[in-house]
Amino acid sequence: CHITRDLRNATVFVSVMGDEDQSRTALEHLGRACSYVRRLLGQRLKLKFLPALSFEPDEILQQERRVAEILEEIRPPADMTDTAGSLCADTEEPESPSD
């Protein structure tokens, strides 16, 4: 949810489990029920101003999926990592100087 500084407007971000059509339909229904939801909030909350509500799709799940896909694409093959999960170097580490 994002509320403006003057507390007059609030954007509610909504996640819908389903395809794009279902998401669009859900947001349309929420838009039509906005005055009802606002009235319920007014009955339950003690606020100086009751913000006007707008509903927007929450795209964080899609962004997370995309980041996971990108990370999977750039993950090195299993034979390129050691048992600790770090990349194996082809060169040996320099020896410590002896005293």
Side-chain angles (χ1 to χ4, degrees):
C1 182
H2 173 75
I3 302 175
T4 58
R5 285 181 175 249
D6 63 3
L7 304 177
R8 304 266 183 189
N9 298 294
T11 303
V12 180
F13 296 97
V14 179
S15 292
V16 177
M17 301 304 280
D19 61 21
E20 205 169 305
D21 287 336
Q22 291 170 321
S23 178
R24 186 176 19 261
T25 301
L27 288 170
E28 287 172 4
H29 287 290
L30 283 169
R32 285 195 293 270
C34 189
S35 60
Y36 174 73
V37 172
R38 193 167 183 253
R39 187 171 48 250
L40 290 177
L41 287 172
Q43 292 170 357
R44 290 183 170 92
L45 301 174
K46 303 282 189 217
L47 297 173
K48 187 174 183 178
F49 301 109
L50 189 60
L53 301 176
S54 64
F55 297 95
E56 298 291 330
D58 186 359
E59 298 174 352
I60 193 71
L61 292 176
Q62 293 157 332
Q63 292 171 357
E64 287 176 356
R65 272 191 229 120
R66 181 64 185 136
V67 168
E69 288 171 3
I70 291 170
L71 290 174
E72 192 62 34
E73 288 173 9
I74 63 173
R75 175 181 282 172
D79 59 349
M80 293 284 296
T81 58
D82 62 15
T83 56
S86 61
L87 290 176
C88 294
D90 289 337
T91 59
E92 294 181 23
E93 291 185 28
E95 292 182 22
S96 301
S98 301
D99 290 322

